[in-house]
Amino acid sequence: MIIIIQCRDQVGLVADISGILAAAQLNIISMREHVDKAENRFFMRLEVDGVSDEVLLEAQMRQVLPSGAVIQVNPVPDKKVVVMVTKEYHCLADILIRNNFNTLGAQVLCVIGNHDVLQKICERFAVPFFLIPYHEDKEVSEREIIAKIRSYDPDYVVLAKFMRILSPAFVANFPNKVINIHHSFLPAFAGANPYKKAFERGVKLIGATAHFVTDDLDEGPIIAQQIIPVNHSFTVADMVKSGQEIETAVLAKALRLVLNDRVFVYRNKTVVFE
Amino acid sequence: MIIIIQCRDQVGLVADISGILAAAQLNIISMREHVDKAENRFFMRLEVDGVSDEVLLEAQMRQVLPSGAVIQVNPVPDKKVVVMVTKEYHCLADILIRNNFNTLGAQVLCVIGNHDVLQKICERFAVPFFLIPYHEDKEVSEREIIAKIRSYDPDYVVLAKFMRILSPAFVANFPNKVINIHHSFLPAFAGANPYKKAFERGVKLIGATAHFVTDDLDEGPIIAQQIIPVNHSFTVADMVKSGQEIETAVLAKALRLVLNDRVFVYRNKTVVFE
Amino acid sequence: MIIIIQCRDQVGLVADISGILAAAQLNIISMREHVDKAENRFFMRLEVDGVSDEVLLEAQMRQVLPSGAVIQVNPVPDKKVVVMVTKEYHCLADILIRNNFNTLGAQVLCVIGNHDVLQKICERFAVPFFLIPYHEDKEVSEREIIAKIRSYDPDYVVLAKFMRILSPAFVANFPNKVINIHHSFLPAFAGANPYKKAFERGVKLIGATAHFVTDDLDEGPIIAQQIIPVNHSFTVADMVKSGQEIETAVLAKALRLVLNDRVFVYRNKTVVFE
Amino acid sequence: MIIIIQCRDQVGLVADISGILAAAQLNIISMREHVDKAENRFFMRLEVDGVSDEVLLEAQMRQVLPSGAVIQVNPVPDKKVVVMVTKEYHCLADILIRNNFNTLGAQVLCVIGNHDVLQKICERFAVPFFLIPYHEDKEVSEREIIAKIRSYDPDYVVLAKFMRILSPAFVANFPNKVINIHHSFLPAFAGANPYKKAFERGVKLIGATAHFVTDDLDEGPIIAQQIIPVNHSFTVADMVKSGQEIETAVLAKALRLVLNDRVFVYRNKTVVFE
């Protein structure tokens, strides 16, 4: 069993929680905890051996934990995701492969694209693809996308190189549920054309950032980041190509962490128990 | 306060330990635990806020923990080390600098060298240097070194590129106390001339390994490892030079971990709470 | 145009070669050279702008270069590969994806498996899959595989987690043409079960190695290597899972380098112009 | 011999240069070249075996190269540096150690500090230390520093965690000669308190950047960059501490590259032949 707790910090939390588990004869295999002292916030992830009544366990926890505590006993075991794409295949293909071999940690319900370039690869894997191109009136398109997503009711929406900026109104529909891969080492080169900016600045490393999407473009809580070295011989096109490899790797890592319930969000930061 | 526990695993350990801390009004800032299921072994490192009677706390713990448990409340706060060297300066110099600015996490009591090359740098930092060259009869030299170390009674002996092989008899005097930096990514290229072997094999990465020294040469519990890329243009001399940079970094990291009581040894492995 | 040269070293080689190019009004965009002084061997890779008669250029080069020189002007532009697999999907899937989107740098002609687990994924990409299980008499199976490969006449044979040991007789059929991904940081943990051995040794890094296959198992020229950190919390299964990610990445990198004519083999080493 | 060339690009440059070397019976050991096509700029670094008249060689080169070419045959073999510091010891100590063992690739002439904290460590290494505190009138202090530097006439001025912002007027005195280590992965977190900003943003990697100093603060040509992972458990103080390790490593790398004549500056970028 996996148990997730987030609440106000106070003395004795670990004793209270582990006491309940010991009484239920549940052996702790793995315990990760973090206290954000500035925010006075307590985060815990437990893996325990043994079987117990989930509802009872949660009720017992709620009695000893501060009011407002987030407690999840075995949070959503069979997660579902909707993926949004534009034209680049690398992140989507990686997700489809893992989905195909049941190693993604979630089921891909469908893929939504604003171009049809990636329809064929979805068909190869028998995953529904929906083409929703952008109208001049962005709001209309977004309403259509929202409706499509809602019809599938996913746990997460994954932007796998979706190259349109989603409006705050869109994001508000799926709080802490939209995960994006940004093709730079944020906060460097936020916004459009990060590789071009990186080239012009003459940096020696380029990166990728997976983050939750909030109202502020490229400003949401960061889940994972990675970099690779570049040098003077790299053109912008070379950077794009090399960057795609780490974009794929970083998004894969972020999804593995989120889908294994290893990521907590609080304010604009994440606590990640790798 | 820092609390270190290693014992046989059983249900309820975390509850028992955290219960004692809560009763003493000690707030857990950081809790790291690991269970080695194959060995049925429990490892824990705690950082707690607040003050309490160390002896009483340890006694309370001992009452609830399995017999034979290793419990340390505030383990040796002011650690002391003796450093052994041959001719290469890089690891020693790094240690002397940190020692000089009180950021090593220990005090360097003295340096023992089997050559006098590094005497001058020790004098610059007013650290005693003892030249103990190797006689034909290795046993005589080792007896002299052992006597010198014993006279200083250090917590750890650090082999900072000491290029002679210590006999099992020597090592038996300081069990789990001798830390070595080996200039390869063990177990690859164990023994002498690892960079030459790496060059001949045409590897694309070279490494360094910090480990506790046991009877079996280069076979002791590994604390930290790191690598750097090399390529066809590297001569053996280039590998040695690049290797020195990571040897310095890996030994520094291993010492930081050990001297902060973040490394547990069990059988031939380490548990490291970074 | 790409020009590849490998020959005995002598004074004036660069002047001779670049003189021919200048006379043909070919501008050098990128020039990489390496001299192995111990072996007195010269390696060069050129990218030049402009068009010229390939046969004439090669003939001119041959006149000034030492006898026995390997000279390739625009080496095999449309390369072809045969992939061999067992049960693990990760490396194969990555190759099939890149093949599908024409970013592999070669065409996958067919896949040969000694199990049928990966037949389905090949079918999804319309790539022929041939099941050739191992008989008790290994020689019979290998003869069948050799015949199948020969019928496709590929430039390279890629062992994408093919888990049977190929005999020297097999390898002799395709000298410097068989590329393997080994699931360890060679030469550490050569042979079977490297992750189990890595777990038992308690290493803090695990790796993967892509290399050309020679008679000596796991001893061929290394093309690329990479590592990732592990720690005490990793089981053997965790190491296998993490290892698969770098196996995929390292094989992809090795293929990119080889298929772009950036890898030279001489004796048991490679020169790689990244 | 080392030969450095930077000039306008044109067809036949390599043939012309290597022809001169061949005629002088100089064997090319290592040749690195780069053409910046956007800027139509040619960069080359050669290592050659054999002895020749430096002045004659340069004159021969100048005859065939485009006007305005930068040509250096054996550029400044015994380089000299002045180091500027504030209070943090890590970068300075690393430089002093390498200077002491003659592995820096330059001689440290003196150290200038705006605080006296690091006077003692300089004295340990018998390197002159000058305390030049900042007056209210920054210009006065800078004039004093400029005079001191001029009196030593160094090849480079190294800002080893010098925590005051130098005016454009100051920088104009030493164009392409002032090297700074910035404690962030530029362009992220330019300006003051980068670790605090990194903490607040919740990044998962922190970095350091070595660069030439120009008028625009933190905007000069980048020489080297590196990063290390951080996570939610890092306080700002932890980031500072971890950051110091890579600041030291990045500055050491940048100095090694610059002092070995491996770094070319053009406009706001560097070409680095590692």
Side-chain angles (χ1 to χ4, degrees), chain B residues 203-226:
Chain B
V203 293
K204 302 300 185 189
L205 304 170
I206 57 171
T209 304
H211 63 98
F212 286 104
V213 178
T214 55
D215 283 11
D216 278 325
L217 181 66
D218 299 337
E219 290 293 331
I222 294 171
I223 305 164
Q225 297 188 292
Q226 228 169 289

Short mmCIF file of all heavy atoms in Angstrom, two decimals, chain B residues 203-226:
data_model
loop_
_atom_site.label_atom_id
_atom_site.label_comp_id
_atom_site.label_asym_id
_atom_site.label_seq_id
_atom_site.Cartn_x
_atom_site.Cartn_y
_atom_site.Cartn_z
N VAL B 203 38.20 2.63 -23.14
CA VAL B 203 36.93 3.02 -22.54
C VAL B 203 36.61 4.47 -22.85
O VAL B 203 37.50 5.26 -23.19
CB VAL B 203 36.91 2.81 -21.00
CG1 VAL B 203 36.98 1.34 -20.66
CG2 VAL B 203 38.04 3.59 -20.35
N LYS B 204 35.35 4.84 -22.74
CA LYS B 204 34.91 6.21 -23.04
C LYS B 204 34.58 7.00 -21.77
O LYS B 204 34.15 8.15 -21.84
CB LYS B 204 33.71 6.17 -23.98
CG LYS B 204 33.98 5.45 -25.31
CD LYS B 204 35.08 6.07 -26.14
CE LYS B 204 35.23 5.40 -27.50
NZ LYS B 204 36.46 5.86 -28.20
N LEU B 205 34.72 6.35 -20.64
CA LEU B 205 34.54 7.02 -19.35
C LEU B 205 35.63 6.52 -18.39
O LEU B 205 35.97 5.34 -18.43
CB LEU B 205 33.19 6.64 -18.72
CG LEU B 205 31.90 6.87 -19.48
CD1 LEU B 205 30.73 6.19 -18.76
CD2 LEU B 205 31.63 8.36 -19.62
N ILE B 206 36.16 7.39 -17.57
CA ILE B 206 37.02 6.93 -16.48
C ILE B 206 36.41 7.39 -15.17
O ILE B 206 35.61 8.32 -15.14
CB ILE B 206 38.48 7.42 -16.60
CG1 ILE B 206 38.53 8.95 -16.67
CG2 ILE B 206 39.16 6.79 -17.81
CD1 ILE B 206 39.94 9.51 -16.57
N GLY B 207 36.79 6.73 -14.07
CA GLY B 207 36.12 7.03 -12.83
C GLY B 207 37.03 7.00 -11.62
O GLY B 207 38.23 6.75 -11.72
N ALA B 208 36.42 7.28 -10.48
CA ALA B 208 37.13 7.19 -9.21
C ALA B 208 36.15 6.64 -8.18
O ALA B 208 34.94 6.85 -8.28
CB ALA B 208 37.66 8.55 -8.77
N THR B 209 36.68 5.93 -7.20
CA THR B 209 35.86 5.25 -6.20
C THR B 209 36.43 5.49 -4.81
O THR B 209 37.60 5.20 -4.57
CB THR B 209 35.85 3.72 -6.46
OG1 THR B 209 35.40 3.48 -7.79
CG2 THR B 209 34.95 2.99 -5.46
N ALA B 210 35.59 6.00 -3.89
CA ALA B 210 35.99 6.10 -2.49
C ALA B 210 35.36 4.94 -1.74
O ALA B 210 34.16 4.67 -1.91
CB ALA B 210 35.54 7.43 -1.89
N HIS B 211 36.15 4.23 -0.95
CA HIS B 211 35.62 3.04 -0.27
C HIS B 211 36.34 2.80 1.05
O HIS B 211 37.45 3.30 1.27
CB HIS B 211 35.79 1.81 -1.19
CG HIS B 211 37.22 1.48 -1.51
ND1 HIS B 211 37.93 0.51 -0.84
CD2 HIS B 211 38.08 2.01 -2.41
CE1 HIS B 211 39.16 0.44 -1.32
NE2 HIS B 211 39.29 1.34 -2.28
N PHE B 212 35.67 2.07 1.92
CA PHE B 212 36.34 1.62 3.13
C PHE B 212 37.30 0.49 2.76
O PHE B 212 37.02 -0.30 1.86
CB PHE B 212 35.32 1.11 4.16
CG PHE B 212 34.55 2.20 4.81
CD1 PHE B 212 33.23 2.47 4.45
CD2 PHE B 212 35.13 3.00 5.80
CE1 PHE B 212 32.51 3.49 5.05
CE2 PHE B 212 34.41 4.03 6.39
CZ PHE B 212 33.10 4.27 6.02
N VAL B 213 38.41 0.43 3.45
CA VAL B 213 39.43 -0.57 3.14
C VAL B 213 39.20 -1.82 3.99
O VAL B 213 39.03 -1.72 5.21
CB VAL B 213 40.84 -0.01 3.39
CG1 VAL B 213 41.91 -1.07 3.12
CG2 VAL B 213 41.06 1.22 2.52
N THR B 214 39.16 -2.96 3.33
CA THR B 214 39.07 -4.24 4.03
C THR B 214 40.26 -5.11 3.61
O THR B 214 41.13 -4.66 2.87
CB THR B 214 37.76 -4.96 3.67
OG1 THR B 214 37.69 -5.08 2.25
CG2 THR B 214 36.56 -4.18 4.17
N ASP B 215 40.26 -6.34 4.07
CA ASP B 215 41.36 -7.25 3.74
C ASP B 215 41.54 -7.40 2.24
O ASP B 215 42.67 -7.44 1.74
CB ASP B 215 41.08 -8.65 4.32
CG ASP B 215 41.34 -8.67 5.81
OD1 ASP B 215 41.52 -7.57 6.38
OD2 ASP B 215 41.37 -9.76 6.38
N ASP B 216 40.42 -7.50 1.54
CA ASP B 216 40.50 -7.70 0.10
C ASP B 216 40.78 -6.38 -0.59
O ASP B 216 39.94 -5.47 -0.59
CB ASP B 216 39.18 -8.28 -0.44
CG ASP B 216 39.12 -9.77 -0.23
OD1 ASP B 216 40.17 -10.44 -0.32
OD2 ASP B 216 38.01 -10.27 0.05
N LEU B 217 41.91 -6.30 -1.18
CA LEU B 217 42.33 -5.09 -1.88
C LEU B 217 41.25 -4.60 -2.85
O LEU B 217 40.77 -5.36 -3.68
CB LEU B 217 43.61 -5.39 -2.67
CG LEU B 217 44.20 -4.22 -3.43
CD1 LEU B 217 44.69 -3.15 -2.47
CD2 LEU B 217 45.31 -4.69 -4.34
N ASP B 218 40.88 -3.35 -2.76
CA ASP B 218 39.92 -2.73 -3.69
C ASP B 218 38.55 -3.39 -3.67
O ASP B 218 37.77 -3.26 -4.61
CB ASP B 218 40.46 -2.75 -5.14
CG ASP B 218 41.75 -1.96 -5.27
OD1 ASP B 218 41.99 -1.08 -4.42
OD2 ASP B 218 42.50 -2.20 -6.23
N GLU B 219 38.25 -4.14 -2.60
CA GLU B 219 36.99 -4.87 -2.55
C GLU B 219 36.10 -4.40 -1.41
O GLU B 219 35.05 -4.99 -1.15
CB GLU B 219 37.25 -6.38 -2.42
CG GLU B 219 37.82 -7.04 -3.66
CD GLU B 219 36.84 -7.04 -4.83
OE1 GLU B 219 35.62 -7.06 -4.60
OE2 GLU B 219 37.32 -7.00 -5.98
N GLY B 220 36.51 -3.36 -0.68
CA GLY B 220 35.74 -2.92 0.48
C GLY B 220 34.47 -2.18 0.08
O GLY B 220 34.25 -1.87 -1.08
N PRO B 221 33.62 -1.89 1.09
CA PRO B 221 32.33 -1.21 0.84
C PRO B 221 32.53 0.14 0.16
O PRO B 221 33.28 0.98 0.65
CB PRO B 221 31.76 -1.03 2.25
CG PRO B 221 32.48 -2.01 3.11
CD PRO B 221 33.82 -2.21 2.51
N ILE B 222 31.80 0.35 -0.93
CA ILE B 222 31.92 1.57 -1.71
C ILE B 222 31.09 2.69 -1.10
O ILE B 222 29.92 2.49 -0.75
CB ILE B 222 31.48 1.31 -3.17
CG1 ILE B 222 32.46 0.35 -3.86
CG2 ILE B 222 31.37 2.63 -3.95
CD1 ILE B 222 32.01 -0.14 -5.22
N ILE B 223 31.67 3.87 -0.96
CA ILE B 223 30.96 5.03 -0.40
C ILE B 223 30.46 5.95 -1.51
O ILE B 223 29.32 6.40 -1.49
CB ILE B 223 31.90 5.84 0.54
CG1 ILE B 223 32.49 4.94 1.62
CG2 ILE B 223 31.14 7.02 1.17
CD1 ILE B 223 33.69 5.54 2.33
N ALA B 224 31.32 6.24 -2.48
CA ALA B 224 30.94 7.17 -3.56
C ALA B 224 31.75 6.86 -4.81
O ALA B 224 32.89 6.40 -4.72
CB ALA B 224 31.18 8.61 -3.12
N GLN B 225 31.15 7.11 -5.95
CA GLN B 225 31.82 6.92 -7.24
C GLN B 225 31.40 8.03 -8.18
O GLN B 225 30.30 8.56 -8.09
CB GLN B 225 31.41 5.57 -7.86
CG GLN B 225 31.81 4.37 -7.04
CD GLN B 225 31.56 3.06 -7.78
OE1 GLN B 225 30.41 2.71 -8.01
NE2 GLN B 225 32.62 2.35 -8.13
N GLN B 226 32.29 8.33 -9.10
CA GLN B 226 31.98 9.35 -10.11
C GLN B 226 32.79 9.08 -11.36
O GLN B 226 33.81 8.41 -11.30
CB GLN B 226 32.35 10.73 -9.56
CG GLN B 226 31.27 11.77 -9.74
CD GLN B 226 31.59 13.01 -8.94
OE1 GLN B 226 31.52 13.00 -7.73
NE2 GLN B 226 31.97 14.08 -9.62
#
